[in-house]
Amino acid sequence: MGHIYQNPIFYNFVYAFHMPLFFIAAGWLYKTKSVKAYTIHRFFTVMIPYFSFGLLTLLYWQLIERHFRVSDMTFLQSLIGLIRGEYDFLDFNVHLWFLPCFYMTVVIYNGLRNTVGRSVTYIIAVVLSTVYVFSVYWVALPSLPWGLNRVCQYIGFYAIGNWMSEMRVNEKVELKPVWAVIATALLAVVLILSLLNLTSGIFWFITGTIGTVAVGIYSILLSGTFNFKNLISFLGRISLVVLCVHGPVYRVVSKILSVVIGVVMHVEMDTDTVRSNFFFALIIVAITLVICELAYMVINRVLPWMIGESKRSRKAILM
């Protein structure tokens, strides 16, 4: 919704904490493993999907979409950009930047845990992110291959998630209305700061942390709801495919919807107008998720290695 709905208030609110939320959630699930085993395992579950979907969407971009969207990058430049894994060189599917950055973050973090231990790793990770956050006031770090510059930005949040998990902070939250009030108040603070454009530098670290805590509290309170658990399970299952293909998909859906609405209402309608309407944006999100689910079903059955699933692991899951 943050990528599709073109509303500055909503955009600033979501972007105030959504990336920290992703890394804190990932850190929550971290378990220490040997450096070699973890590095290889993560390469197959993160980087193989990155290159697979990257090549697929790059070909789609070259053959079809670049004829409808303006881009200064040639096919060769885009291919090199895919290999480099840098945000600024992924014009054809910019959302893919997350995967190489995430891979380097978890591999470096695991390496630190195996080398200097838990407590020192926490300190190093938080210091790196703190230095990165304050660096924006003086000088921007250069873009590096595989998002290494962004690793410094997010590894602190990954450490926070790991710490929260190991400290079992979720057990502190009781199923009482007061926790819903606290979570709502925290999100209200994030909204106010985003309205004041206080979401960069140290404020981004603040909004990222409290926004994630608020979402975490809501998740705990709703975890006993059967439908909620099913929804989260569904979204979690297809999340990798959503990340990799939702960009090209929602652009096509937005274009088709704008044409249909224009014909029905007998007005000129472009994609920006459609995406500026909350209701229409929700429709685009829903259709995009359905298409991503269909893509997941086909890929999981025919080419499971594209999403980091071997036939053996798939059978184990089904059993």
Side-chain angles (χ1 to χ4, degrees):
M1 192 65 176
H3 288 161
I4 294 171
Y5 184 36
Q6 294 185 340
N7 178 286
I9 295 176
F10 182 84
Y11 178 92
N12 290 336
F13 172 69
V14 171
Y15 274 67
F17 67 91
H18 78 305
M19 289 310 304
L21 171 61
F22 292 153
F23 279 92
I24 288 177
W28 184 281
L29 300 174
Y30 169 77
K31 301 294 181 184
T32 307
K33 295 181 180 179
S34 71
V35 173
K36 180 180 179 180
Y38 193 77
T39 302
I40 295 174
H41 168 71
R42 280 301 192 177
F43 187 86
F44 278 96
T45 59
V46 177
M47 294 309 296
I48 293 298
Y50 167 76
F51 285 116
S52 300
F53 283 102
L55 285 171
L56 186 65
T57 53
L58 176 56
L59 290 174
Y60 162 76
W61 163 265
Q62 180 65 22
L63 296 174
I64 300 175
E65 192 170 2
R66 75 172 300 119
H67 299 293
F68 303 96
R69 291 180 64 210
V70 177
S71 175
D72 295 328
M73 291 190 179
T74 65
F75 177 79
L76 181 59
Q77 289 174 325
S78 297
L79 181 60
I80 294 173
L82 177 65
I83 296 172
R84 290 173 61 90
E86 293 181 47
Y87 183 95
D88 296 332
F89 296 92
L90 293 169
D91 221 19
F92 62 95
N93 193 353
V94 69
H95 310 305
L96 289 175
W97 75 266
F98 175 79
L99 291 178
C101 176
F102 176 73
Y103 175 73
M104 295 306 300
T105 300
V106 299
V107 166
I108 290 173
Y109 188 86
N110 185 65
L112 287 171
R113 282 293 298 261
N114 277 272
T115 305
V116 298
R118 180 176 63 179
S119 298
V120 177
T121 298
Y122 290 158
I123 295 172
I124 292 174
V126 173
V127 167
L128 282 174
S129 288
T130 303
V131 170
Y132 183 95
V133 164
F134 279 104
S135 72
V136 300
Y137 294 110
W138 300 292
V139 60
L141 293 178
S143 179
L144 298 173
W146 288 26
L148 275 170
N149 56 308
R150 292 171 179 262
V151 170
C152 298
Q153 182 178 8
Y154 296 116
I155 195 170
F157 290 110
Y158 192 82
I160 290 174
N162 182 213
W163 175 83
M164 292 173 68
S165 175
E166 294 187 339
M167 294 296 104
R168 301 180 181 275
V169 296
N170 57 308
E171 297 178 1
K172 309 292 184 183
V173 179
E174 300 176 356
L175 300 180
K176 294 182 178 180
V178 65
W179 284 104
V181 174
I182 293 173
T184 303
L186 291 175
L187 284 184
V189 171
V190 175
L191 178 60
I192 292 172
L193 290 175
S194 66
L195 290 173
L196 296 173
N197 291 319
L198 297 175
T199 56
S200 61
I202 188 62
F203 284 103
W204 179 76
F205 206 93
I206 294 171
T207 58
T209 301
I210 63 177
T212 297
V213 170
V215 173
I217 292 173
Y218 279 129
S219 299
I220 293 169
L221 296 177
L222 294 170
S223 61
T225 305
F226 181 75
N227 289 334
F228 178 79
K229 292 177 69 174
N230 286 343
L231 174 63
I232 295 302
S233 177
F234 163 73
L235 293 176
R237 181 164 50 88
I238 69 171
S239 61
L240 180 61
V241 175
V242 172
L243 169 67
C244 293
V245 304
H246 81 279
V249 170
Y250 81 67
R251 288 192 290 270
V252 173
V253 173
S254 300
K255 181 60 178 178
I256 294 175
L257 187 62
S258 67
V259 172
V260 171
I261 293 174
V263 171
V264 172
M265 300 180 65
H266 303 289
V267 296
E268 288 291 332
M269 183 72 66
D270 57 24
T271 55
D272 288 337
T273 303
V274 170
R275 290 172 57 186
S276 298
N277 181 287
F278 183 77
F279 176 71
F280 291 151
L282 281 178
I283 293 176
I284 296 171
V285 169
I287 296 174
T288 299
L289 286 175
V290 170
I291 294 173
C292 289
E293 162 66 4
L294 295 175
Y296 169 84
M297 291 172 62
V298 173
I299 294 169
N300 191 44
R301 178 178 295 273
V302 180
L303 300 169
W305 54 267
M306 283 188 65
I307 52 176
E309 294 285 357
S310 65
K311 292 182 178 180
R312 180 181 300 177
S313 63
R314 182 175 59 175
K315 290 181 179 178
I317 293 173
L318 293 175
M319 292 174 64

